[in-house]
Amino acid sequence: MTVPVALAFPGSLDTPTGGYAYDREVLRHLGDHGIAAAPLELPAGFPLPTPDMAQDALARLSHTADGTLLLVDGLALGALPAEGLRPLAHRLVALIHHPLALEAGLAPDQRAALAASERAALALCRAVVTTSRATARTLIGDYGVPEPRIRVAEPGVAAAPRAPCDGPVPRLLAVGSVIPRKAYGVLVAALAGVRDLNWTLTVIGSLDLDPGESARVRAAIAGHGLSDRITLRGAVSSADLDAAYLASDLFVHPALYEGYGMVLAEALRRGLPLVCTTGGAAAETVPDGAGVKVPPGQADALGAALRPLLSDAVQRRALADAAFRAGSALPTWSQTAAIIADILTLTHTEQMAA
């Protein structure tokens, strides 16, 4: 039995973020597990759509064949009105990377509205797929999703060569869009505290999702006199990103919160020593001993964690070995897709029997 599924997401599937990369890989692999999955592009503008955008999205979902399951990315699902989703509830499956209300930089009224909207939308879904155990716990505890309805499908990681980590001057790499939640301003402040050491930093990630935040980070770099040591490259091709991982000596991730942290898994798979925060699922994505973890939002703690690794190549090598061991145990994308296929097949069977 082949199960028909539309994976719905807002805007372009090529958007350079971890969530869209997850959607792309899932679409690529579901066919190997008996799922006839097709992309369904919804209007851009989520998670804060105009009323017209929301109605357009509902219309596109409604126009799919009635037997087709709707696997809807949470970036759109949580911002859609429950009354519009209710007629589709019999075939709704949520794909939640992290709750919308936990995005940094939201006004209090926006945060409250998104939390209420997502709670109502999730209550309608036949099943919920999350990308981490931490997100699953949040949905159970704070959003009222019954535990039996949730399946965790952690992101897969493709095979990749190990980074040699042999630069004479430590080359730091950070990957992720320049948005408030990624806290690059905190990283800049932390690095200002270790300016007495030799290092460079390259940040790879979109500069266009929040131009105001990009401007603030650039100003912080200039204000600390680090423009000759920190490079904001913006979004790059997959090949250039692979090359950047391979050419780095230390991975750093200052995010305030992560629903999983796919770039952390990519760094582990390549054997990069890493320093990250404990924000959200990141504390579990990086196993204890496989990286140095500090509380989110604390520049002094981040700088203190970086200093010994920047100073001592032996410490970096030991941490790199631990990271590589952890990265070698991570799931493949086929394994991720198999978990999602199982819950979609079960949901389809229950739908047909109803």
Side-chain angles (χ1 to χ4, degrees):
M1 176 180 66
T2 300
V3 179
V5 172
L7 198 168
F9 49 85
S12 171
L13 189 60
D14 294 328
T15 301
T17 69
Y20 284 90
Y22 185 104
D23 292 356
R24 291 193 297 270
E25 292 294 341
V26 167
L27 278 169
R28 188 173 292 126
H29 288 86
L30 277 176
D32 298 333
H33 302 280
I35 305 296
L40 176 59
E41 184 175 313
L42 305 178
F46 286 85
L48 300 172
T50 65
D52 286 346
M53 287 177 184
Q55 290 306 310
D56 188 356
L58 290 169
R60 296 187 198 188
L61 292 170
S62 299
H63 289 161
T64 56
D66 190 56
T68 299
L69 288 180
L70 299 171
L71 178 61
V72 186
D73 190 293
L75 186 61
L77 178 76
L80 289 172
E83 61 271 18
L85 288 170
R86 193 164 286 110
L88 305 170
H90 62 291
R91 52 195 182 104
L92 276 180
V93 179
L95 172 55
I96 305 299
H97 301 285
H98 67 80
L100 297 177
L102 297 184
E103 189 64 65
L106 294 171
D109 59 334
Q110 291 175 321
R111 192 179 307 280
L114 285 171
S117 177
E118 192 158 26
R119 189 175 294 109
L122 288 169
L124 297 171
C125 293
R126 299 286 298 270
V128 177
V129 177
T130 72
T131 59
S132 72
R133 290 166 291 168
T135 298
R137 291 193 297 270
T138 298
L139 296 183
I140 293 166
D142 298 342
Y143 287 78
V145 178
E147 186 171 358
R149 271 204 275 149
I150 293 185
R151 290 292 298 275
V152 176
E154 292 185 348
V157 183
R162 182 172 179 177
C165 302
D166 58 358
V169 173
R171 298 162 295 183
L172 281 70
L173 175 67
V175 178
S177 301
V178 181
I179 57 177
R181 180 168 54 86
K182 299 300 184 180
Y184 287 120
V186 175
L187 177 56
V188 172
L191 289 172
V194 292
R195 67 170 68 243
D196 55 301
L197 302 175
N198 288 325
W199 52 264
T200 63
L201 167 68
T202 298
V203 177
I204 291 179
S206 174
L207 298 168
D208 301 326
L209 295 182
D210 190 330
E213 179 66 5
S214 296
R216 286 187 288 273
V217 172
R218 287 193 181 97
I221 293 170
H224 285 291
L226 297 175
S227 298
D228 59 335
R229 302 175 73 174
I230 299 178
T231 301
L232 302 181
R233 282 188 64 183
V236 302
S237 68
S238 295
D240 285 346
L241 180 57
D242 288 340
Y245 277 115
L246 202 59
S248 299
D249 303 295
L250 181 62
F251 191 84
V252 58
H253 194 66
L256 302 176
Y257 180 92
E258 286 292 355
Y260 177 76
M262 287 172 56
V263 296
L264 294 170
E266 294 286 352
L268 291 171
R269 186 68 182 84
R270 290 164 170 80
L272 278 171
L274 63 88
V275 177
C276 68
T277 71
T278 55
E284 295 176 352
T285 301
V286 178
D288 291 345
V292 178
K293 295 179 277 191
V294 300
Q298 297 188 18
D300 289 345
L302 184 57
L306 286 168
R307 179 172 288 279
L309 293 171
L310 293 171
S311 306
D312 189 342
V314 174
Q315 284 196 48
R316 289 200 301 275
R317 172 52 57 182
L319 194 59
D321 290 342
F324 186 70
R325 287 193 295 272
S328 298
L330 290 168
T332 65
W333 280 111
S334 181
Q335 291 170 321
T336 300
I339 294 171
I340 298 174
D342 284 347
I343 192 62
L344 292 172
T345 301
L346 177 61
T347 302
H348 181 69
T349 301
E350 291 173 347
Q351 179 193 24
M352 298 300 289

